[in-house]
Short mmCIF file of all heavy atoms in Angstrom, two decimals:
data_model
loop_
_atom_site.label_atom_id
_atom_site.label_comp_id
_atom_site.label_asym_id
_atom_site.label_seq_id
_atom_site.Cartn_x
_atom_site.Cartn_y
_atom_site.Cartn_z
N MET A 1 31.89 11.16 -10.01
CA MET A 1 30.56 10.61 -10.05
C MET A 1 30.12 10.48 -11.51
O MET A 1 30.36 11.37 -12.31
CB MET A 1 29.61 11.55 -9.28
CG MET A 1 28.21 11.02 -9.22
SD MET A 1 27.04 12.13 -8.41
CE MET A 1 27.76 12.31 -6.82
N LYS A 2 29.48 9.38 -11.84
CA LYS A 2 29.02 9.18 -13.20
C LYS A 2 27.83 10.07 -13.51
O LYS A 2 26.97 10.30 -12.67
CB LYS A 2 28.60 7.73 -13.40
CG LYS A 2 29.74 6.75 -13.36
CD LYS A 2 29.23 5.35 -13.63
CE LYS A 2 30.35 4.36 -13.57
NZ LYS A 2 29.87 2.99 -13.80
N ALA A 3 27.78 10.53 -14.73
CA ALA A 3 26.66 11.36 -15.17
C ALA A 3 25.49 10.47 -15.57
O ALA A 3 25.67 9.33 -16.02
CB ALA A 3 27.09 12.22 -16.35
N ASP A 4 24.28 10.98 -15.41
CA ASP A 4 23.04 10.31 -15.84
C ASP A 4 22.78 8.98 -15.13
O ASP A 4 22.20 8.07 -15.71
CB ASP A 4 23.03 10.10 -17.36
CG ASP A 4 23.11 11.41 -18.11
OD1 ASP A 4 22.59 12.42 -17.58
OD2 ASP A 4 23.71 11.43 -19.19
N THR A 5 23.23 8.81 -13.89
CA THR A 5 22.94 7.58 -13.16
C THR A 5 21.87 7.79 -12.09
O THR A 5 21.32 6.83 -11.59
CB THR A 5 24.21 7.01 -12.49
OG1 THR A 5 24.72 7.98 -11.58
CG2 THR A 5 25.25 6.64 -13.51
N HIS A 6 21.60 9.03 -11.75
CA HIS A 6 20.63 9.31 -10.70
C HIS A 6 19.26 9.59 -11.30
O HIS A 6 19.15 10.16 -12.39
CB HIS A 6 21.09 10.51 -9.86
CG HIS A 6 22.37 10.24 -9.15
ND1 HIS A 6 22.45 9.43 -8.05
CD2 HIS A 6 23.63 10.64 -9.40
CE1 HIS A 6 23.69 9.35 -7.64
NE2 HIS A 6 24.44 10.08 -8.45
N PRO A 7 18.18 9.21 -10.60
CA PRO A 7 16.84 9.44 -11.13
C PRO A 7 16.50 10.93 -11.14
O PRO A 7 17.11 11.73 -10.42
CB PRO A 7 15.93 8.70 -10.15
CG PRO A 7 16.72 8.56 -8.91
CD PRO A 7 18.16 8.51 -9.33
N ASP A 8 15.52 11.29 -11.92
CA ASP A 8 15.08 12.67 -12.04
C ASP A 8 14.11 13.00 -10.90
O ASP A 8 13.05 12.40 -10.79
CB ASP A 8 14.38 12.87 -13.38
CG ASP A 8 13.80 14.26 -13.52
OD1 ASP A 8 14.44 15.22 -13.06
OD2 ASP A 8 12.70 14.37 -14.08
N TYR A 9 14.51 13.91 -10.02
CA TYR A 9 13.64 14.36 -8.94
C TYR A 9 12.85 15.57 -9.41
O TYR A 9 13.38 16.44 -10.09
CB TYR A 9 14.46 14.75 -7.70
CG TYR A 9 14.89 13.56 -6.89
CD1 TYR A 9 16.12 12.97 -7.10
CD2 TYR A 9 14.06 13.04 -5.92
CE1 TYR A 9 16.52 11.88 -6.36
CE2 TYR A 9 14.44 11.95 -5.16
CZ TYR A 9 15.67 11.38 -5.38
OH TYR A 9 16.05 10.30 -4.65
N HIS A 10 11.58 15.62 -9.04
CA HIS A 10 10.71 16.73 -9.41
C HIS A 10 9.67 16.91 -8.32
O HIS A 10 9.51 16.06 -7.45
CB HIS A 10 10.06 16.47 -10.77
CG HIS A 10 9.53 15.09 -10.90
ND1 HIS A 10 10.30 14.06 -11.40
CD2 HIS A 10 8.35 14.53 -10.56
CE1 HIS A 10 9.59 12.94 -11.37
NE2 HIS A 10 8.42 13.20 -10.87
N MET A 11 8.94 17.99 -8.36
CA MET A 11 7.93 18.29 -7.35
C MET A 11 6.60 17.61 -7.71
O MET A 11 6.14 17.68 -8.85
CB MET A 11 7.70 19.80 -7.22
CG MET A 11 8.89 20.57 -6.70
SD MET A 11 9.42 20.06 -5.06
CE MET A 11 8.09 20.69 -4.07
N ILE A 12 6.00 16.91 -6.73
CA ILE A 12 4.67 16.32 -6.88
C ILE A 12 3.83 16.74 -5.68
O ILE A 12 4.34 17.23 -4.68
CB ILE A 12 4.71 14.77 -6.97
CG1 ILE A 12 5.19 14.16 -5.65
CG2 ILE A 12 5.53 14.30 -8.13
CD1 ILE A 12 4.90 12.68 -5.54
N THR A 13 2.53 16.54 -5.78
CA THR A 13 1.60 16.81 -4.69
C THR A 13 1.11 15.47 -4.15
O THR A 13 0.70 14.61 -4.91
CB THR A 13 0.41 17.65 -5.18
OG1 THR A 13 0.92 18.85 -5.75
CG2 THR A 13 -0.54 17.98 -4.04
N VAL A 14 1.13 15.31 -2.82
CA VAL A 14 0.63 14.10 -2.18
C VAL A 14 -0.68 14.46 -1.48
O VAL A 14 -0.73 15.39 -0.68
CB VAL A 14 1.64 13.55 -1.16
CG1 VAL A 14 1.08 12.32 -0.47
CG2 VAL A 14 2.95 13.23 -1.84
N LYS A 15 -1.76 13.72 -1.81
CA LYS A 15 -3.07 13.97 -1.21
C LYS A 15 -3.38 12.86 -0.23
O LYS A 15 -3.45 11.69 -0.59
CB LYS A 15 -4.15 14.04 -2.29
CG LYS A 15 -5.51 14.42 -1.77
CD LYS A 15 -6.49 14.63 -2.89
CE LYS A 15 -7.82 15.07 -2.35
NZ LYS A 15 -8.78 15.27 -3.44
N MET A 16 -3.56 13.22 1.05
CA MET A 16 -3.83 12.25 2.11
C MET A 16 -5.30 11.83 2.06
O MET A 16 -6.11 12.42 1.35
CB MET A 16 -3.52 12.88 3.47
CG MET A 16 -2.13 13.48 3.56
SD MET A 16 -0.87 12.28 3.76
CE MET A 16 -0.82 12.21 5.53
N THR A 17 -5.67 10.81 2.85
CA THR A 17 -7.04 10.31 2.86
C THR A 17 -8.02 11.31 3.44
O THR A 17 -9.20 11.29 3.11
CB THR A 17 -7.14 9.00 3.66
OG1 THR A 17 -6.66 9.22 4.99
CG2 THR A 17 -6.35 7.89 3.01
N ASP A 18 -7.55 12.21 4.30
CA ASP A 18 -8.46 13.21 4.88
C ASP A 18 -8.57 14.47 4.03
O ASP A 18 -9.23 15.43 4.41
CB ASP A 18 -8.02 13.58 6.30
CG ASP A 18 -6.64 14.23 6.35
OD1 ASP A 18 -5.99 14.36 5.30
OD2 ASP A 18 -6.22 14.61 7.46
N GLY A 19 -7.94 14.48 2.87
CA GLY A 19 -8.04 15.60 1.94
C GLY A 19 -6.91 16.61 2.01
O GLY A 19 -6.81 17.48 1.15
N THR A 20 -6.06 16.52 3.03
CA THR A 20 -4.94 17.45 3.11
C THR A 20 -3.92 17.12 2.03
O THR A 20 -3.79 15.97 1.61
CB THR A 20 -4.27 17.41 4.49
OG1 THR A 20 -3.82 16.08 4.75
CG2 THR A 20 -5.23 17.85 5.58
N GLU A 21 -3.21 18.13 1.59
CA GLU A 21 -2.22 17.96 0.53
C GLU A 21 -0.91 18.62 0.94
O GLU A 21 -0.91 19.58 1.71
CB GLU A 21 -2.70 18.60 -0.77
CG GLU A 21 -3.94 17.97 -1.35
CD GLU A 21 -4.36 18.64 -2.64
OE1 GLU A 21 -3.76 19.67 -3.03
OE2 GLU A 21 -5.30 18.14 -3.27
N PHE A 22 0.19 18.07 0.45
CA PHE A 22 1.49 18.71 0.63
C PHE A 22 2.34 18.41 -0.59
O PHE A 22 2.07 17.47 -1.33
CB PHE A 22 2.18 18.26 1.92
CG PHE A 22 2.54 16.79 1.96
CD1 PHE A 22 3.80 16.37 1.54
CD2 PHE A 22 1.65 15.85 2.42
CE1 PHE A 22 4.14 15.03 1.57
CE2 PHE A 22 1.99 14.51 2.47
CZ PHE A 22 3.24 14.10 2.05
N GLN A 23 3.35 19.22 -0.80
CA GLN A 23 4.24 19.03 -1.93
C GLN A 23 5.57 18.49 -1.45
O GLN A 23 6.05 18.84 -0.37
CB GLN A 23 4.45 20.34 -2.68
CG GLN A 23 3.23 20.76 -3.45
CD GLN A 23 3.54 21.87 -4.42
OE1 GLN A 23 4.52 22.60 -4.26
NE2 GLN A 23 2.72 22.00 -5.44
N THR A 24 6.15 17.62 -2.26
CA THR A 24 7.44 17.03 -1.94
C THR A 24 8.18 16.70 -3.23
O THR A 24 7.58 16.67 -4.30
CB THR A 24 7.27 15.76 -1.07
OG1 THR A 24 8.55 15.31 -0.65
CG2 THR A 24 6.57 14.66 -1.84
N ARG A 25 9.46 16.41 -3.10
CA ARG A 25 10.23 15.97 -4.25
C ARG A 25 10.17 14.46 -4.33
O ARG A 25 10.19 13.77 -3.31
CB ARG A 25 11.68 16.41 -4.11
CG ARG A 25 11.83 17.93 -4.20
CD ARG A 25 13.27 18.36 -4.08
NE ARG A 25 14.03 17.75 -5.17
CZ ARG A 25 15.33 17.48 -5.13
NH1 ARG A 25 16.01 17.74 -4.04
NH2 ARG A 25 15.94 16.94 -6.15
N SER A 26 10.08 13.92 -5.55
CA SER A 26 9.95 12.48 -5.72
C SER A 26 10.42 12.06 -7.11
O SER A 26 10.55 12.89 -8.01
CB SER A 26 8.48 12.08 -5.55
OG SER A 26 8.31 10.70 -5.78
N THR A 27 10.65 10.77 -7.26
CA THR A 27 10.94 10.21 -8.58
C THR A 27 9.68 9.61 -9.19
O THR A 27 9.68 9.18 -10.34
CB THR A 27 12.01 9.11 -8.48
OG1 THR A 27 11.55 8.08 -7.61
CG2 THR A 27 13.32 9.67 -7.98
N TRP A 28 8.58 9.57 -8.42
CA TRP A 28 7.31 9.02 -8.89
C TRP A 28 6.65 9.98 -9.88
O TRP A 28 6.64 11.19 -9.69
CB TRP A 28 6.38 8.80 -7.70
CG TRP A 28 5.04 8.26 -8.07
CD1 TRP A 28 4.71 6.96 -8.28
CD2 TRP A 28 3.85 9.01 -8.31
NE1 TRP A 28 3.39 6.86 -8.62
CE2 TRP A 28 2.84 8.10 -8.65
CE3 TRP A 28 3.56 10.36 -8.28
CZ2 TRP A 28 1.55 8.50 -8.94
CZ3 TRP A 28 2.27 10.76 -8.57
CH2 TRP A 28 1.28 9.84 -8.89
N GLY A 29 6.05 9.44 -10.92
CA GLY A 29 5.28 10.25 -11.86
C GLY A 29 6.12 11.28 -12.58
O GLY A 29 7.30 11.07 -12.86
N SER A 30 5.49 12.40 -12.89
CA SER A 30 6.19 13.49 -13.55
C SER A 30 5.87 14.80 -12.83
O SER A 30 5.03 14.84 -11.94
CB SER A 30 5.79 13.56 -15.03
OG SER A 30 4.41 13.76 -15.15
N GLU A 31 6.52 15.85 -13.21
CA GLU A 31 6.37 17.16 -12.58
C GLU A 31 4.91 17.57 -12.49
O GLU A 31 4.19 17.54 -13.49
CB GLU A 31 7.16 18.21 -13.37
CG GLU A 31 7.11 19.59 -12.79
CD GLU A 31 8.04 19.78 -11.60
OE1 GLU A 31 9.06 19.08 -11.54
OE2 GLU A 31 7.72 20.61 -10.75
N GLY A 32 4.44 17.90 -11.28
CA GLY A 32 3.09 18.40 -11.09
C GLY A 32 2.03 17.33 -10.88
O GLY A 32 0.86 17.67 -10.64
N ASP A 33 2.35 16.04 -10.95
CA ASP A 33 1.37 14.98 -10.74
C ASP A 33 0.91 14.96 -9.28
O ASP A 33 1.59 15.45 -8.38
CB ASP A 33 1.96 13.61 -11.07
CG ASP A 33 2.02 13.35 -12.56
OD1 ASP A 33 1.46 14.15 -13.33
OD2 ASP A 33 2.63 12.33 -12.95
N THR A 34 -0.27 14.36 -9.04
CA THR A 34 -0.81 14.23 -7.69
C THR A 34 -0.90 12.76 -7.33
O THR A 34 -1.53 11.97 -8.04
CB THR A 34 -2.21 14.87 -7.59
OG1 THR A 34 -2.09 16.25 -7.91
CG2 THR A 34 -2.78 14.72 -6.20
N MET A 35 -0.27 12.38 -6.23
CA MET A 35 -0.33 11.01 -5.71
C MET A 35 -1.42 10.98 -4.65
O MET A 35 -1.35 11.69 -3.65
CB MET A 35 1.00 10.60 -5.09
CG MET A 35 0.97 9.23 -4.46
SD MET A 35 2.48 8.82 -3.56
CE MET A 35 3.62 8.57 -4.89
N THR A 36 -2.46 10.17 -4.87
CA THR A 36 -3.56 10.05 -3.92
C THR A 36 -3.34 8.77 -3.10
O THR A 36 -3.29 7.68 -3.65
CB THR A 36 -4.91 9.98 -4.65
OG1 THR A 36 -5.02 11.15 -5.49
CG2 THR A 36 -6.06 9.96 -3.68
N LEU A 37 -3.24 8.93 -1.79
CA LEU A 37 -2.97 7.80 -0.91
C LEU A 37 -4.27 7.11 -0.50
O LEU A 37 -5.28 7.77 -0.26
CB LEU A 37 -2.23 8.27 0.34
CG LEU A 37 -0.88 8.94 0.11
CD1 LEU A 37 -0.29 9.37 1.45
CD2 LEU A 37 0.07 8.01 -0.61
N GLU A 38 -4.25 5.77 -0.44
CA GLU A 38 -5.40 5.01 0.04
C GLU A 38 -5.28 4.75 1.55
O GLU A 38 -6.27 4.69 2.24
CB GLU A 38 -5.50 3.68 -0.71
CG GLU A 38 -5.78 3.85 -2.18
CD GLU A 38 -5.79 2.53 -2.92
OE1 GLU A 38 -5.65 1.48 -2.27
OE2 GLU A 38 -5.94 2.56 -4.14
N ILE A 39 -4.06 4.57 2.02
CA ILE A 39 -3.79 4.36 3.44
C ILE A 39 -2.64 5.28 3.81
O ILE A 39 -1.63 5.33 3.12
CB ILE A 39 -3.42 2.89 3.73
CG1 ILE A 39 -4.58 1.97 3.42
CG2 ILE A 39 -3.00 2.73 5.18
CD1 ILE A 39 -4.29 0.50 3.63
N ASP A 40 -2.81 6.01 4.90
CA ASP A 40 -1.76 6.91 5.37
C ASP A 40 -1.76 6.91 6.90
O ASP A 40 -2.57 6.22 7.51
CB ASP A 40 -1.93 8.32 4.79
CG ASP A 40 -3.22 8.99 5.21
OD1 ASP A 40 -3.89 8.48 6.11
OD2 ASP A 40 -3.55 10.03 4.65
N PRO A 41 -0.85 7.63 7.54
CA PRO A 41 -0.79 7.60 9.00
C PRO A 41 -2.07 8.03 9.71
O PRO A 41 -2.27 7.67 10.86
CB PRO A 41 0.35 8.57 9.32
CG PRO A 41 1.22 8.52 8.12
CD PRO A 41 0.28 8.35 6.96
N THR A 42 -2.95 8.76 9.05
CA THR A 42 -4.20 9.16 9.70
C THR A 42 -5.27 8.08 9.65
O THR A 42 -6.26 8.16 10.37
CB THR A 42 -4.76 10.44 9.07
OG1 THR A 42 -5.06 10.20 7.69
CG2 THR A 42 -3.79 11.60 9.21
N SER A 43 -5.08 7.05 8.81
CA SER A 43 -6.10 6.01 8.68
C SER A 43 -5.57 4.59 8.90
O SER A 43 -6.35 3.66 9.00
CB SER A 43 -6.75 6.08 7.30
OG SER A 43 -5.80 5.78 6.29
N HIS A 44 -4.28 4.41 8.97
CA HIS A 44 -3.70 3.07 9.10
C HIS A 44 -3.78 2.61 10.55
O HIS A 44 -3.46 3.35 11.47
CB HIS A 44 -2.24 3.07 8.64
CG HIS A 44 -1.70 1.70 8.42
ND1 HIS A 44 -1.25 0.91 9.44
CD2 HIS A 44 -1.56 0.97 7.29
CE1 HIS A 44 -0.84 -0.25 8.96
NE2 HIS A 44 -1.03 -0.23 7.65
N PRO A 45 -4.22 1.36 10.80
CA PRO A 45 -4.37 0.87 12.15
C PRO A 45 -3.07 0.84 12.96
O PRO A 45 -3.11 0.91 14.19
CB PRO A 45 -4.91 -0.55 11.99
CG PRO A 45 -5.18 -0.76 10.57
CD PRO A 45 -4.68 0.42 9.80
N ALA A 46 -1.93 0.74 12.31
CA ALA A 46 -0.67 0.72 13.04
C ALA A 46 -0.44 2.04 13.77
O ALA A 46 0.18 2.07 14.82
CB ALA A 46 0.50 0.45 12.08
N TRP A 47 -0.94 3.15 13.22
CA TRP A 47 -0.75 4.45 13.85
C TRP A 47 -1.98 4.90 14.65
O TRP A 47 -1.87 5.68 15.56
CB TRP A 47 -0.42 5.52 12.80
CG TRP A 47 0.94 5.36 12.24
CD1 TRP A 47 2.11 5.64 12.86
CD2 TRP A 47 1.29 4.87 10.96
NE1 TRP A 47 3.17 5.36 12.04
CE2 TRP A 47 2.69 4.88 10.85
CE3 TRP A 47 0.54 4.42 9.87
CZ2 TRP A 47 3.36 4.47 9.72
CZ3 TRP A 47 1.22 4.01 8.74
CH2 TRP A 47 2.61 4.04 8.68
N THR A 48 -3.16 4.40 14.29
CA THR A 48 -4.37 4.83 14.98
C THR A 48 -4.70 3.94 16.17
O THR A 48 -5.54 4.30 16.98
CB THR A 48 -5.58 4.84 14.02
OG1 THR A 48 -5.78 3.52 13.51
CG2 THR A 48 -5.35 5.82 12.90
N GLY A 49 -4.09 2.75 16.25
CA GLY A 49 -4.33 1.85 17.37
C GLY A 49 -5.52 0.93 17.16
O GLY A 49 -5.82 0.10 18.00
N GLY A 50 -6.21 1.04 16.06
CA GLY A 50 -7.37 0.20 15.80
C GLY A 50 -6.97 -1.08 15.08
O GLY A 50 -5.81 -1.31 14.75
N THR A 51 -7.95 -1.94 14.89
CA THR A 51 -7.71 -3.16 14.14
C THR A 51 -8.60 -3.14 12.91
O THR A 51 -9.72 -2.64 12.94
CB THR A 51 -8.02 -4.42 14.97
OG1 THR A 51 -9.38 -4.36 15.39
CG2 THR A 51 -7.11 -4.51 16.16
N ARG A 52 -8.10 -3.70 11.84
CA ARG A 52 -8.85 -3.73 10.60
C ARG A 52 -8.44 -4.97 9.83
O ARG A 52 -7.26 -5.22 9.63
CB ARG A 52 -8.56 -2.48 9.78
CG ARG A 52 -9.37 -2.40 8.51
CD ARG A 52 -9.15 -1.07 7.84
NE ARG A 52 -8.71 -1.32 6.48
CZ ARG A 52 -8.23 -0.40 5.69
NH1 ARG A 52 -8.08 0.81 6.11
NH2 ARG A 52 -7.87 -0.69 4.47
N GLN A 53 -9.40 -5.74 9.39
CA GLN A 53 -9.12 -6.91 8.58
C GLN A 53 -9.06 -6.47 7.13
O GLN A 53 -10.07 -6.07 6.55
CB GLN A 53 -10.20 -7.97 8.75
CG GLN A 53 -10.14 -8.67 10.09
CD GLN A 53 -8.94 -9.57 10.21
OE1 GLN A 53 -7.81 -9.12 10.16
NE2 GLN A 53 -9.17 -10.83 10.36
N VAL A 54 -7.88 -6.55 6.55
CA VAL A 54 -7.73 -6.18 5.15
C VAL A 54 -8.24 -7.30 4.25
O VAL A 54 -8.92 -7.08 3.26
CB VAL A 54 -6.25 -5.85 4.83
CG1 VAL A 54 -6.07 -5.57 3.36
CG2 VAL A 54 -5.81 -4.67 5.66
N ASN A 55 -7.95 -8.54 4.63
CA ASN A 55 -8.33 -9.67 3.81
C ASN A 55 -9.00 -10.72 4.69
O ASN A 55 -8.33 -11.55 5.29
CB ASN A 55 -7.10 -10.26 3.11
CG ASN A 55 -7.47 -11.34 2.13
OD1 ASN A 55 -8.64 -11.56 1.85
ND2 ASN A 55 -6.48 -12.02 1.59
N GLU A 56 -10.31 -10.66 4.80
CA GLU A 56 -11.03 -11.65 5.59
C GLU A 56 -11.20 -12.91 4.77
O GLU A 56 -11.66 -12.86 3.65
CB GLU A 56 -12.39 -11.11 6.00
CG GLU A 56 -12.32 -9.96 6.97
CD GLU A 56 -13.71 -9.49 7.39
OE1 GLU A 56 -14.69 -10.14 7.03
OE2 GLU A 56 -13.77 -8.47 8.06
N GLY A 57 -10.86 -14.03 5.37
CA GLY A 57 -11.05 -15.31 4.68
C GLY A 57 -10.18 -15.43 3.46
O GLY A 57 -10.68 -15.38 2.35
N GLY A 58 -8.89 -15.60 3.67
CA GLY A 58 -7.96 -15.74 2.56
C GLY A 58 -7.98 -17.13 1.97
O GLY A 58 -8.93 -17.91 2.13
N ARG A 59 -6.93 -17.49 1.28
CA ARG A 59 -6.85 -18.78 0.60
C ARG A 59 -6.83 -19.95 1.58
O ARG A 59 -7.44 -20.99 1.33
CB ARG A 59 -5.60 -18.82 -0.29
CG ARG A 59 -5.56 -17.74 -1.35
CD ARG A 59 -6.68 -17.85 -2.37
NE ARG A 59 -6.61 -19.12 -3.06
CZ ARG A 59 -7.63 -19.71 -3.65
NH1 ARG A 59 -8.82 -19.17 -3.62
NH2 ARG A 59 -7.49 -20.87 -4.26
N VAL A 60 -6.14 -19.79 2.71
CA VAL A 60 -6.08 -20.87 3.69
C VAL A 60 -7.46 -21.11 4.30
O VAL A 60 -7.89 -22.25 4.47
CB VAL A 60 -5.04 -20.56 4.79
CG1 VAL A 60 -5.07 -21.58 5.89
CG2 VAL A 60 -3.65 -20.47 4.18
N ALA A 61 -8.19 -20.06 4.60
CA ALA A 61 -9.53 -20.20 5.16
C ALA A 61 -10.46 -20.88 4.16
O ALA A 61 -11.28 -21.73 4.54
CB ALA A 61 -10.09 -18.84 5.56
N ALA A 62 -10.34 -20.54 2.89
CA ALA A 62 -11.17 -21.17 1.85
C ALA A 62 -10.84 -22.65 1.73
O ALA A 62 -11.74 -23.49 1.58
CB ALA A 62 -10.97 -20.46 0.52
N PHE A 63 -9.56 -22.99 1.81
CA PHE A 63 -9.14 -24.39 1.75
C PHE A 63 -9.70 -25.17 2.93
O PHE A 63 -10.25 -26.26 2.77
CB PHE A 63 -7.61 -24.48 1.73
CG PHE A 63 -7.09 -25.89 1.73
CD1 PHE A 63 -6.94 -26.59 0.55
CD2 PHE A 63 -6.74 -26.53 2.91
CE1 PHE A 63 -6.47 -27.89 0.53
CE2 PHE A 63 -6.26 -27.83 2.92
CZ PHE A 63 -6.13 -28.51 1.72
N ASN A 64 -9.55 -24.62 4.14
CA ASN A 64 -10.04 -25.30 5.34
C ASN A 64 -11.55 -25.48 5.31
O ASN A 64 -12.07 -26.51 5.73
CB ASN A 64 -9.62 -24.53 6.60
CG ASN A 64 -8.14 -24.66 6.86
OD1 ASN A 64 -7.49 -25.60 6.42
ND2 ASN A 64 -7.58 -23.70 7.57
N LYS A 65 -12.27 -24.51 4.81
CA LYS A 65 -13.72 -24.61 4.70
C LYS A 65 -14.12 -25.69 3.70
O LYS A 65 -15.03 -26.47 3.95
CB LYS A 65 -14.29 -23.26 4.26
CG LYS A 65 -15.79 -23.24 4.15
CD LYS A 65 -16.28 -21.87 3.72
CE LYS A 65 -17.79 -21.88 3.51
NZ LYS A 65 -18.26 -20.57 3.03
N ARG A 66 -13.40 -25.75 2.59
CA ARG A 66 -13.74 -26.70 1.53
C ARG A 66 -13.46 -28.14 1.95
O ARG A 66 -14.22 -29.05 1.64
CB ARG A 66 -12.94 -26.36 0.29
CG ARG A 66 -13.25 -27.23 -0.90
CD ARG A 66 -12.54 -26.73 -2.13
NE ARG A 66 -12.82 -27.59 -3.26
CZ ARG A 66 -12.24 -27.50 -4.43
NH1 ARG A 66 -11.34 -26.55 -4.64
NH2 ARG A 66 -12.53 -28.32 -5.41
N PHE A 67 -12.34 -28.36 2.66
CA PHE A 67 -11.95 -29.72 3.01
C PHE A 67 -12.09 -30.02 4.50
O PHE A 67 -11.40 -30.90 5.03
CB PHE A 67 -10.50 -29.95 2.56
CG PHE A 67 -10.32 -29.88 1.06
CD1 PHE A 67 -9.72 -28.78 0.48
CD2 PHE A 67 -10.80 -30.88 0.24
CE1 PHE A 67 -9.57 -28.70 -0.89
CE2 PHE A 67 -10.66 -30.81 -1.13
CZ PHE A 67 -10.03 -29.72 -1.70
N ALA A 68 -12.98 -29.33 5.19
CA ALA A 68 -13.12 -29.52 6.63
C ALA A 68 -13.62 -30.92 6.98
O ALA A 68 -13.20 -31.51 7.97
CB ALA A 68 -14.10 -28.48 7.20
N GLY A 69 -14.48 -31.50 6.18
CA GLY A 69 -15.05 -32.82 6.48
C GLY A 69 -14.22 -33.98 5.97
O GLY A 69 -14.55 -35.14 6.22
N LEU A 70 -13.15 -33.73 5.30
CA LEU A 70 -12.32 -34.78 4.72
C LEU A 70 -11.49 -35.44 5.82
O LEU A 70 -10.78 -34.78 6.56
CB LEU A 70 -11.38 -34.20 3.65
CG LEU A 70 -10.54 -35.20 2.87
CD1 LEU A 70 -11.44 -36.17 2.11
CD2 LEU A 70 -9.63 -34.47 1.91
N ASN A 71 -11.57 -36.76 5.91
CA ASN A 71 -10.82 -37.49 6.93
C ASN A 71 -9.82 -38.39 6.23
O ASN A 71 -10.19 -39.28 5.50
CB ASN A 71 -11.80 -38.31 7.79
CG ASN A 71 -11.10 -38.91 8.98
OD1 ASN A 71 -9.90 -38.75 9.17
ND2 ASN A 71 -11.88 -39.61 9.80
N LEU A 72 -8.52 -38.18 6.49
CA LEU A 72 -7.47 -38.94 5.81
C LEU A 72 -6.93 -40.08 6.65
O LEU A 72 -6.04 -40.78 6.22
CB LEU A 72 -6.32 -37.99 5.41
CG LEU A 72 -6.69 -36.90 4.42
CD1 LEU A 72 -5.50 -35.99 4.19
CD2 LEU A 72 -7.15 -37.49 3.11
N LYS A 73 -7.46 -40.27 7.85
CA LYS A 73 -6.97 -41.35 8.71
C LYS A 73 -7.48 -42.69 8.23
O LYS A 73 -8.60 -42.81 7.77
CB LYS A 73 -7.41 -41.10 10.15
CG LYS A 73 -6.79 -39.86 10.73
CD LYS A 73 -7.25 -39.66 12.16
CE LYS A 73 -6.67 -38.37 12.71
NZ LYS A 73 -7.14 -38.10 14.05
N LYS A 74 -6.63 -43.73 8.36
CA LYS A 74 -7.02 -45.08 7.92
C LYS A 74 -7.51 -45.89 9.08
O LYS A 74 -7.19 -45.79 10.18
CB LYS A 74 -5.85 -45.79 7.26
CG LYS A 74 -5.50 -45.20 5.93
CD LYS A 74 -4.41 -45.99 5.27
CE LYS A 74 -4.09 -45.40 3.92
NZ LYS A 74 -3.12 -46.16 3.20
#
């Protein structure tokens, strides 16, 4: 096995949206850093069964609204 090809694993703290924390090994950040999650299994609709619009009215909706009255038929 080649030397110095694998990333450096170290202990970090992961903070969930409900405030609970746990420690795990990761290549993210540096030793002792805290990763704060914005979406996790306790709040994500895929696991909670709810629905949530992350992006209401995206680019396609804005385009359709802007050009709704345009008629291209001859």
